């Protein structure tokens, strides 16, 4: 079994960003106020190297990496060179804006060992991009994605749901357009209202209706299958929980420490509903899923099983681990 690659995160909040998107407050999202420099990169690598000898990836998150000055890019990337040369690092990834990507920028990244580029696409709807203050259009995402793939790097796309001027249909259309770009993975971030952001002020004044957790779960349960059907993994669903966000800096919107679990539980519920609808009426049912997915099928506080019991008039619904592929469901017992 191949071990999961460790990620060593370095936060460079707001470095290179030419404008403030309405939803953004990087200090609150990342928990970092001062952008990292070469010393921080070396310290993080030395600390990680003391725990395990190899198999890590260095990831620069939070800013628009290719929009910062060339010298600063080189400072950060060259600080990691010794760890690339000795084999401790298997690669480096950076996050950036679609309109800050061109061939010279990618050539610089490649020369310093960058193997993955994450693009903050967020939406492919022009009205949503404008209302969110993104400062770029959908065509920039298409162009940048093509250049990253042309350079032989892995491409990760980030999208958001529930942004100003968006709708479930426009977000679903964004997912389809991003899937058509054939990225190596996607991050799906339902909008969170963070204190100190422009979106927080719009919401407080009644000019933005929040994208609730319940709405995000329902919508993401429609979006995830779009990427799955295209063979594209969703590598993150929802903002990474931090003490600040959980402590109240997430004032509203779709913030939940286990949002991904809620979405995958919903997917199992819908699949089980479809399966039971095609079966003869029964009193008791036992469902089999991969052992790692039992909690997803059961749902939070076993709410999925209770929903199925009520909807199908069953005396009992059980779930057990079985030799089933992740995502699959089989009937173990039907009485």
């Amino acid at each position: 079994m191949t071990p999961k690659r460790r990620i060593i995160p370095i936060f460079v909040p707001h470095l290179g960003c030419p404008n403030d998107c309405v939803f953004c407050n990087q200090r609150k999202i990342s928990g970092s106020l001062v952008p990292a420099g070469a010393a921080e990169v070396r310290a993080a690598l030395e600390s990680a190297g003391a725990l395990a000898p190899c198999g890590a990836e260095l990831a620069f998150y939070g800013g628009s990496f290719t929009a910062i000055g060339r010298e600063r890019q080189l400072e950060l990337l060259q600080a990691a060179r010794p760890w690339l040369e000795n084999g401790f690092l298997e690669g480096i990834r950076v996050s950036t804006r679609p309109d800050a990507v061109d061939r010279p920028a990618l050539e610089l990244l490649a020369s310093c060992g960058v193997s993955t580029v994450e693009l903050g696409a967020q939406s492919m709807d022009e009205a949503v991009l404008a209302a969110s203050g993104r400062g770029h259009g959908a065509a920039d995402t298409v162009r940048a994605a093509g250049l990253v793939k042309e350079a032989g790097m892995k491409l990760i796309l980030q999208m958001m749901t529930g942004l100003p001027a968006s709708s479930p249909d426009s977000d679903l259309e964004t997912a389809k357009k991003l899937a058509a770009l054939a990225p190596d993975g996607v991050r799906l971030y339902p909008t969170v209202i963070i204190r100190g952001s422009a979106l927080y002020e719009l919401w407080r004044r009644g000019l933005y209706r929040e994208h609730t957790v319940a709405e995000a779960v329902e919508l993401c349960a429609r979006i995830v299958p779009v990427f799955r059907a295209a063979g594209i993994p969703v590598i993150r669903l929802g903002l990474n929980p931090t003490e600040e966000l959980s402590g109240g800096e997430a004032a509203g919107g779709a913030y939940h420490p286990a949002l991904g679990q809620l979405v995958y539980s919903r997917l199992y519920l819908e699949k089980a509903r479809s399966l039971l609808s095609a079966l003869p009426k029964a009193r008791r049912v036992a469902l089999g899923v991969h052992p790692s997915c039992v909690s997803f099928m059961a749902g939070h506080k076993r709410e999925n099983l209770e929903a199925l019991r009520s909807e199908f008039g069953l005396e009992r619904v059980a779930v057990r681990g079985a030799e089933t592929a992740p995502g699959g469901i089989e009937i173990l017992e039907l009485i």
Side-chain angles (χ1 to χ4, degrees):
M1 186 176 189
T2 303
K4 185 176 181 180
R5 179 181 294 184
R6 290 184 303 129
I7 300 294
I8 302 171
I10 301 291
F11 292 100
V12 287
H14 259 0
L15 277 186
C17 289
N19 63 318
D20 286 323
C21 301
V22 297
F23 52 81
C24 191
N25 183 327
Q26 279 290 348
R27 185 181 71 81
K28 300 292 177 62
I29 293 173
S30 67
S32 176
L33 179 61
V34 180
E40 287 74 20
V41 172
R42 287 191 289 268
L45 289 167
E46 288 168 0
S47 177
L51 299 175
C54 62
E57 181 180 49
L58 182 66
F60 290 96
Y61 293 131
S64 296
F65 196 90
T66 56
I68 68 179
R70 180 184 176 90
E71 293 305 312
R72 187 63 182 276
Q73 290 185 55
L74 287 171
E75 173 196 346
L76 293 166
L77 294 172
Q78 289 180 347
R81 185 174 293 279
W83 283 268
L84 279 170
E85 292 176 347
N86 67 19
F88 172 70
L89 287 178
E90 294 184 357
I92 298 174
R93 73 170 61 196
V94 302
S95 298
T96 194
R97 296 167 53 87
D99 56 345
V101 172
D102 56 23
R103 286 188 176 88
L106 294 173
E107 288 170 2
L108 174 64
L109 297 181
S111 72
C112 294
V114 173
S115 51
T116 302
V117 174
E118 297 201 15
L119 296 177
Q122 317 311 4
S123 177
M124 294 297 279
D125 185 298
E126 301 295 348
V128 175
L129 292 170
S132 301
R134 285 297 293 167
H136 68 79
D140 292 305
T141 296
V142 175
R143 178 192 55 80
L147 290 176
V148 171
K149 293 173 74 69
E150 178 185 293
M153 297 177 177
K154 290 184 178 179
L155 171 69
I156 306 296
L157 295 176
Q158 302 169 5
M159 78 164 283
M160 297 180 67
T161 62
L163 286 169
S166 73
S167 68
D169 286 344
S170 71
D171 287 339
L172 190 61
E173 188 62 25
T174 281
K176 293 175 181 177
K177 289 180 178 179
L178 294 182
L181 298 178
D184 297 282
V186 295
R187 295 183 189 270
L188 185 54
Y189 295 119
T191 299
V192 176
I193 302 169
I194 300 172
R195 295 183 191 277
S197 67
L199 190 63
Y200 174 76
E201 293 304 319
L202 291 173
W203 173 64
R204 193 175 60 83
R205 292 159 52 197
L207 300 177
Y208 168 75
R209 190 184 73 80
E210 71 175 316
H211 186 46
T212 67
V213 170
E215 291 170 345
V217 169
E218 181 177 349
L219 177 56
C220 290
R222 296 172 62 197
I223 288 175
V224 168
V226 171
F227 294 117
R228 282 185 172 175
I232 301 165
V234 177
I235 61 177
R236 180 73 204 175
L237 210 167
L239 282 180
N240 190 46
T242 67
E243 288 185 7
E244 281 194 312
L245 291 175
S246 296
E249 294 303 330
Y255 179 71
H256 191 288
L259 187 68
Q261 181 166 353
L262 296 180
V263 172
Y264 294 122
S265 288
R266 174 64 65 88
L267 288 169
Y268 266 100
L269 175 60
E270 296 302 331
K271 185 170 289 189
R273 280 172 171 156
S274 178
L275 182 62
L276 293 178
S277 294
L279 296 175
K281 188 172 178 60
R283 291 183 297 109
R284 297 181 182 180
V285 172
L287 304 172
V289 300
H290 189 274
S292 66
C293 301
V294 169
S295 63
F296 291 147
M297 180 65 258
H300 181 60
K301 296 183 178 179
R302 301 178 69 82
E303 62 185 8
N304 281 0
L305 302 185
E306 178 57 29
L308 293 172
R309 189 195 66 77
S310 176
E311 290 172 25
F312 291 91
L314 297 163
E315 293 177 3
R316 182 173 180 271
V317 181
V319 57
R320 303 170 190 160
E323 294 182 4
T324 305
I329 303 176
E330 63 178 275
I331 301 295
L332 299 179
E333 181 182 285
L334 185 68
I335 300 175

